[in-house]
Amino acid sequence: MTWTVAPEPHDSPVAAALWRAYYTEVSDRWYLLHEGRRTDPEELEREIAAGTGADLAPPRGRLLVARYAGEPAGSAGIRLLDAATAELTRVFLYEGMRGRGGASLLVRAAEEAARESGAGRMILDTRGDLVEARSLYARLGYAETEPHNAAPYAEHWFAKELG
């Protein structure tokens, strides 16, 4: 079985399914940790609908989709914040696809897309409970930094020079 990574329109059915799975997982994890329950279904639908992904459309953004054996398995997005800095976002793999090298492949493809867009630096934020994400970023050379935004759920900020 092989992995491929390619750009995907932010508003495609594949992108919508990946966004729904990503948001459901990170939201449920937060609510289970902090309130002992899953996300309220109405809130979940409202937030999924609000996250259109339009900021991941060219020319200032890219959405990449990883496929495993031809089937959608995960995503990563970048958006240019300025001429030299890109932000990594929506890094996600379906649970059954984890542990097969897809996350590293996605992040490296996002780094390449950022370089192709002119960025020399990638930044990102994540939460404390997303320990797998923090481990991945550290393994790929990202260093924890001071906060670069005031995002409501951001607890850890990372940066990497893309060279």
Side-chain angles (χ1 to χ4, degrees), residues 40-57:
D40 175 85
E42 288 180 21
E43 177 188 355
L44 187 65
E45 292 306 316
R46 187 174 55 252
E47 294 301 319
I48 288 170
T52 67
D55 57 338
L56 304 179

Side-chain angles (χ1 to χ4, degrees), residues 17-123:
L18 285 161
W19 169 237
R20 173 174 286 283
Y22 167 87
Y23 190 82
T24 300
E25 181 173 329
V26 297
S27 183
D28 280 352
R29 280 178 71 162
W30 191 90
Y31 277 109
L32 285 167
L33 178 65
H34 295 282
E35 297 184 13
R37 64 173 179 86
R38 296 197 179 280
T39 311
D40 175 85
E42 288 180 21
E43 177 188 355
L44 187 65
E45 292 306 316
R46 187 174 55 252
E47 294 301 319
I48 288 170
T52 67
D55 57 338
L56 304 179
R60 300 207 44 88
R62 300 281 183 289
L63 178 66
L64 302 171
V65 168
R67 287 178 167 77
Y68 187 76
E71 293 299 316
S75 65
I78 65 156
R79 55 180 157 242
L80 290 177
L81 301 180
D82 59 43
T85 308
E87 183 177 28
L88 181 64
T89 186
R90 293 196 190 186
V91 177
F92 173 75
L93 285 173
Y94 287 124
E95 188 173 0
M97 294 289 106
R98 296 174 189 163
R100 300 178 191 197
S104 296
L105 187 69
L106 269 167
V107 173
R108 288 189 181 108
E111 291 171 355
E112 183 58 30
R115 277 193 286 282
E116 289 171 0
S117 297
R121 182 172 188 250
M122 185 85 85
I123 63 172

Side-chain angles (χ1 to χ4, degrees), residues 121 123-125 143-149 155-159:
R121 182 172 188 250
I123 63 172
L124 63 94
D125 65 68
E144 203 153 348
T145 66
E146 293 298 315
H148 59 259
N149 65 22
E155 297 171 322
H156 296 269
W157 295 262
F158 290 84

